[in-house]
Amino acid sequence: METKERAEENKICPLEVAVNTISGKWKIPIVWQINEGKKRPSEFLRGIAKVDRRVLNQQLSEMVDDGILTKQSFNELPPRVEYTLTLLGEQLVKILWQLNDWGKLLIPENEKA
């Protein structure tokens, strides 16, 4: 019985991995901003209210590590960095659109814009 319990504890749940990958207050707004064509950290700072530059950079770095974004650094003065969605990131955008449509079902009729 103990072996079965240990096996269940070590099982990888794809849904949990997916949720952990996009968890973070600013990750979904970052994906939306990139999907709309914004690529530079300064554009994200202007487009996402109240995000701290340090937190933004941390979440961008995590998304690069997770394979959602790619980071391109240009050898210029001043330094320039741009982020783009990977194929995995583009798949995430499709899923977020579906989640957006599902979210509409949760909004009461009298509160819809």
Side-chain angles (χ1 to χ4, degrees):
M1 186 63 107
E2 190 175 315
T3 308
K4 184 179 179 185
E5 288 174 10
R6 245 187 278 140
E8 287 178 5
E9 286 178 21
N10 294 333
K11 217 174 197 182
I12 296 174
C13 174
L15 180 59
E16 187 175 342
V17 171
V19 169
N20 288 338
T21 300
I22 62 171
S23 68
K25 187 172 183 177
W26 305 111
K27 288 184 179 179
I28 291 175
I30 289 168
V31 170
W32 281 130
Q33 294 283 321
I34 290 177
N35 189 49
E36 291 176 352
K38 296 179 181 175
K39 297 179 180 179
R40 300 182 68 193
S42 59
E43 293 174 312
F44 301 136
L45 288 169
R46 285 191 298 269
I48 304 171
K50 300 179 184 176
V51 63
D52 179 70
R53 180 177 286 277
R54 182 186 57 79
V55 174
L56 174 69
N57 288 335
Q58 177 186 354
Q59 297 215 337
L60 286 167
S61 178
E62 289 174 10
M63 294 171 76
V64 169
D65 292 344
D66 290 335
I68 296 170
L69 303 177
T70 57
K71 177 182 178 179
Q72 184 176 8
S73 299
F74 296 88
N75 192 17
E76 302 174 347
L77 286 174
R80 179 170 57 114
V81 174
E82 289 185 353
Y83 292 89
T84 53
L85 290 168
T86 62
L87 202 52
L88 191 62
E90 290 172 4
Q91 292 173 335
L92 174 59
V93 169
K94 292 176 186 175
I95 292 166
L96 291 175
W97 275 113
Q98 292 174 337
L99 191 57
N100 182 66
D101 291 341
W102 182 74
K104 290 177 185 177
L105 300 174
L106 301 174
I107 300 172
E109 276 300 316
N110 61 346
E111 293 182 25
K112 291 183 181 178

